[in-house]
Amino acid sequence: MSFLRQDLSYTLRSLRKTPGFTLVAVLTLALGIGANTAIFSVVDAVILAPLPYNHPEQLVLVWQTNPQGRNISPSYPDFQDWQHNTHSFQDMAAIGWQSRDLTGPGSPEHLNGWLIGSGFFRTMGANPIVGRDFTPEEDQRGGAFVAIISERVWKDRFSGGKAVLGKTVTMDGDDYTIVGVAPSGINLGGVIDVYTPISQGDALVVNDRRAHAFVAIGRLKPGTSVTEANADTNTVEKNLGDLYPKFDQGLSTRIVPLKEALVGDVSATLMMLLGSVGLVLLIACANVASLMLARAASREREFAIRAALGAKRIRIVWQMVAESLLLSLAGGTLGLLLARVAVRPLFMAVPGEFPRPEHIGLNSAVLLFTLGTSVIVGIVFGLIPALKTWNANQQPSLQQGGRGSTSLHHRTQSSLVVVQTAMALVLLVGAGLLFRTIRHLSGISPGFETHQLISFKAALAPEVTKHPQAMRVADQQLIQRIQGIDGVEAADLTTLVPLSGEDNEVPFWLGEEPRSIAEAPRAVTYSVGPDYLRVMGIPLLRGRFFTAADTVQSEQVIVIDNALAEAYFPGKDPVGQHLTFGRVGAFRIIGVAGHVKHWGLGDTSASNQKEVYTPFYQLSDQWLPVLQTSATVMVRTRLDASALMPAIRSAVYGAGSGQPIYDVHTMQQMISASMATQNFPMMLLAAFAALALLLASVGIYAVISYSVTGRVHEIGIRMALGAEKRRIFAMVIQQGLRLVISGLAIGMFAAFLIGRLLVSFSHLLYGVNADDPLTFVGVAFLLSVLAVLACYIPARRATRVDPMIALRAE
């Protein structure tokens, strides 16, 4: 302990005497450690941390799969059969989406809601923080109107008091009694504001075996594997196929652990980013190690004298490691502060949804990671110069003018620069490939005009929603008021918005006779107003589109896209042919519209190839209330959204109170969100690459500058023998370029492997190859230019060496 106190005291004094070195080293490490801490905090929250439920490893999602292997949601009757006839689950629960429009108490607000069964919270392993779960009696058709509100609604509307139990909220014109408050930790892919019993859902959706509209979640019995549970549910599903051949024949089941379903593809992306930011840390370590080598070279005489006076080499080595540990811990502390400031704004700026964002932050695991990283980094970059000092011959350092092991230090520094250059190239190539992907995606037409297009949803007044004909009139009047606003070119309704991520795939058959749903192809189905194509700028290729005459009293008609026409009516005119939808009936095709990329600009999946349009005002009295909640107003305007929305709000609120406006987006925002899968890693890789480029440039400068300082005698002799300044300048530049070229050669191979890894993530690269020559050549040229710039100042200093002074110094 006495030696430790002496060494720490000496180390602090030594670092205080060289504030420039200390500041550069700490800042360099802070950038590397801070970036790693920020990314690890996300990896920990999304991948490593367990779900906030009791025994979360037992929670699974149960899907149905069609013969093509695609997951589809089960119907509620199918779920009930699974629930009653399987033996692998402690509990099972179904979840259905049901948004609500709250009109009291307080100002109107749209709430995201779920329909849940009475055993939902028990299945999840989470209890209401106030009150209780629904009872089996409340979960029956005709049961009491009860609701469980979220913690946010509880605090915003009822000040977080326990007196909330028994109070009522008015939603969709009905009064609901509050029986509980749900904890905020429940998040299965979206924030939920209110829970109501499944029995209160629309009977068309809840009772029909053809309505695949629910999510099934189960809690496995202890010791039961996913494989065993999947065999169990498949046995039940096969029996359902025999009992209901039109609805379930050909369907099977697939069980997915809940955490795997929530994290999805983002886990691979995050691990790639963690590896990338690890390269930044290695570059930072190489930089600091290079600085420590230069510092050790300048202290060789000091170490030699200490050794001559009896100091053991292990004490000298420990002294250098102690310096590096102090620098690393200081850098880690500053990096932790940088991560704390940067991580939230960074991920809030990423378009689209990110899984489990509420858990991202600094916690004990992140603090331990930062501490461990700081200690390991300190030891690693401290041992490099320490071992060089251990192996050095100290006798020359005691002689007057001795240069000791300067050349050995220089060779080690040069090797570190080669490694830094290779790692910087890898990061730059990764960022370049993703940037090229974004450029390709930005140039793809989604099949409609994206500029000056706004979408939003507006709830109808509660008194209107009870009468289908009144809803149709209210919708038409709303569109007419919006069309009359100055600056609006066109407006109309749709139940589905392209690039929004919303899904409404419906099975269909050619002709008028329906067959098994499992064998039927599916089409993305939009129910739209008569002016929808003009609003969106979608071309009509054949036939006609809908008119005001296409109502519930007229013949059922449909418009298909050209992808469906080419797939199912090759070589003939589809106009006049019929398509049948099992729950609605036969529709006559009256037109063909251009294809729209609904699932994303780069999506080429089969589900993206077929789309149909049905008239919104032809929806039956049964279906209109079900689809009204998804009705979205699309507005084509000459003005910016911020300038137009006040007038739109006035037009909506002019129809009466209790009509909240929500989900307001421009189409450009939706496009950005649809490219979030590529934008997110590109932004971070670009930031890491820029940081790596800066650190590598500083490293090249430091090595060449140190080399020039050590070669003053040689340069003086060269100039005394007649060497021209331009030759000296070129010599120094060539020295730097040789290091960079060596690094580029190594980095090219590693970057090609990284590119292949990006290709394996099919959602990351689009329209660009892993060995894209433009990216590789551009990155190599950029690194070479920066290397020349980094060598310029040392090269200029070399040309100003006075031969007489250099030789006299020797």
Side-chain angles (χ1 to χ4, degrees), residues 160-333:
K162 291 188 176 181
V164 67
L165 299 179
K167 292 188 176 181
T168 61
V169 290
T170 303
M171 298 185 297
D172 300 331
D174 296 316
D175 291 334
Y176 288 77
T177 301
I178 298 174
V179 298
V181 177
S184 58
I186 296 179
N187 189 335
L188 302 182
V191 178
I192 301 302
D193 298 311
V194 64
Y195 305 79
T196 51
I198 283 181
S199 60
Q200 295 173 8
D202 193 284
L204 276 174
V205 177
V206 174
N207 298 332
D208 197 323
R209 202 171 288 272
R210 295 169 294 183
H212 294 264
F214 289 83
V215 175
I217 187 167
R219 177 173 288 276
L220 298 175
K221 290 180 178 179
T224 302
S225 68
V226 169
T227 302
E228 293 170 339
N230 201 49
D232 188 11
T233 54
N234 266 315
T235 299
V236 176
E237 185 60 37
K238 185 178 183 302
N239 293 335
L240 293 179
D242 296 335
L243 291 172
Y244 310 103
K246 278 194 174 183
F247 308 137
D248 285 85
Q249 194 171 69
L251 295 179
S252 57
T253 62
R254 177 177 294 154
I255 295 180
V256 181
L258 179 59
K259 188 172 183 179
E260 178 184 325
L262 291 178
V263 175
D265 293 335
V266 78
S267 60
T269 302
L270 285 178
M271 295 310 294
M272 180 197 70
L273 290 174
L274 187 61
S276 300
V277 78
L279 292 181
V280 175
L281 182 58
L282 290 176
I283 294 174
C285 289
N287 253 4
V288 177
S290 184
L291 290 173
M292 294 284 287
L293 281 168
R295 178 176 167 83
S298 67
R299 299 172 65 189
E300 282 185 350
R301 188 173 180 83
E302 171 201 335
F303 294 146
I305 292 173
R306 291 176 63 183
L309 293 175
K312 296 181 179 179
R313 288 195 177 189
I314 189 65
R315 287 291 306 279
I316 297 174
V317 170
W318 162 246
Q319 185 72 59
M320 300 182 70
V321 172
E323 286 187 10
S324 65
L325 276 174
L326 281 179
L327 291 172
S328 183
L329 290 173
T333 302

Side-chain angles (χ1 to χ4, degrees), residues 107-148:
S107 58
E109 180 184 3
H110 179 79
L111 302 179
N112 294 325
W114 275 350
L115 297 169
I116 62 172
S118 58
F120 170 76
F121 289 97
R122 183 178 65 251
T123 301
M124 294 301 298
N127 297 316
I129 56 179
V130 175
R132 59 173 176 83
D133 198 350
F134 300 133
T135 65
E137 292 74 24
E138 291 166 342
D139 195 23
Q140 300 295 323
R141 179 66 61 181
F145 275 38
V146 291
I148 296 173

Side-chain angles (χ1 to χ4, degrees), residues 227-482:
T227 302
E228 293 170 339
N230 201 49
D232 188 11
T233 54
N234 266 315
T235 299
V236 176
E237 185 60 37
K238 185 178 183 302
N239 293 335
L240 293 179
D242 296 335
L243 291 172
Y244 310 103
K246 278 194 174 183
F247 308 137
D248 285 85
Q249 194 171 69
L251 295 179
S252 57
T253 62
R254 177 177 294 154
I255 295 180
V256 181
L258 179 59
K259 188 172 183 179
E260 178 184 325
L262 291 178
V263 175
D265 293 335
V266 78
S267 60
T269 302
L270 285 178
M271 295 310 294
M272 180 197 70
L273 290 174
L274 187 61
S276 300
V277 78
L279 292 181
V280 175
L281 182 58
L282 290 176
I283 294 174
C285 289
N287 253 4
V288 177
S290 184
L291 290 173
M292 294 284 287
L293 281 168
R295 178 176 167 83
S298 67
R299 299 172 65 189
E300 282 185 350
R301 188 173 180 83
E302 171 201 335
F303 294 146
I305 292 173
R306 291 176 63 183
L309 293 175
K312 296 181 179 179
R313 288 195 177 189
I314 189 65
R315 287 291 306 279
I316 297 174
V317 170
W318 162 246
Q319 185 72 59
M320 300 182 70
V321 172
E323 286 187 10
S324 65
L325 276 174
L326 281 179
L327 291 172
S328 183
L329 290 173
T333 302
L334 182 56
L336 195 64
L337 295 176
L338 292 176
R340 182 177 182 181
V341 171
V343 66
R344 276 288 175 179
L346 175 64
F347 288 95
M348 290 298 290
V350 176
E353 293 186 358
F354 203 79
R356 309 182 71 191
E358 67 278 4
H359 300 291
I360 296 175
L362 303 185
N363 53 35
S364 57
V366 177
L367 294 176
L368 286 174
F369 170 83
T370 305
L371 177 62
T373 301
S374 301
V375 171
I376 293 172
V377 163
I379 293 174
V380 168
F381 76 72
L383 279 177
I384 294 175
L387 293 177
K388 292 296 180 184
T389 301
W390 180 284
N391 295 323
N393 181 11
Q394 295 172 345
Q395 185 62 33
S397 300
L398 294 173
Q399 299 172 356
Q400 183 68 28
R403 289 188 292 272
S405 60
T406 301
S407 61
L408 184 62
H409 286 307
H410 177 65
R411 287 196 299 272
T412 305
Q413 287 177 304
S414 298
S415 300
L416 291 174
V417 167
V418 171
V419 173
Q420 284 179 285
T421 303
M423 290 188 290
L425 183 135
V426 169
L427 291 176
L428 283 168
V429 166
L433 291 174
L434 288 173
F435 176 75
R436 295 262 289 155
T437 293
I438 297 297
R439 289 290 302 273
H440 276 291
L441 289 175
S442 299
I444 294 175
S445 171
F448 59 92
E449 296 294 331
T450 61
H451 299 288
Q452 305 302 111
L453 190 61
I454 304 171
S455 71
F456 67 91
K457 294 183 179 181
L460 295 180
E463 61 272 14
V464 173
T465 58
K466 306 297 182 183
H467 309 285
Q469 186 54 36
M471 293 171 67
R472 296 187 185 95
V473 173
D475 285 328
Q476 291 171 334
Q477 291 176 345
L478 173 63
I479 295 301
Q480 289 171 0
R481 288 195 301 273
I482 293 173

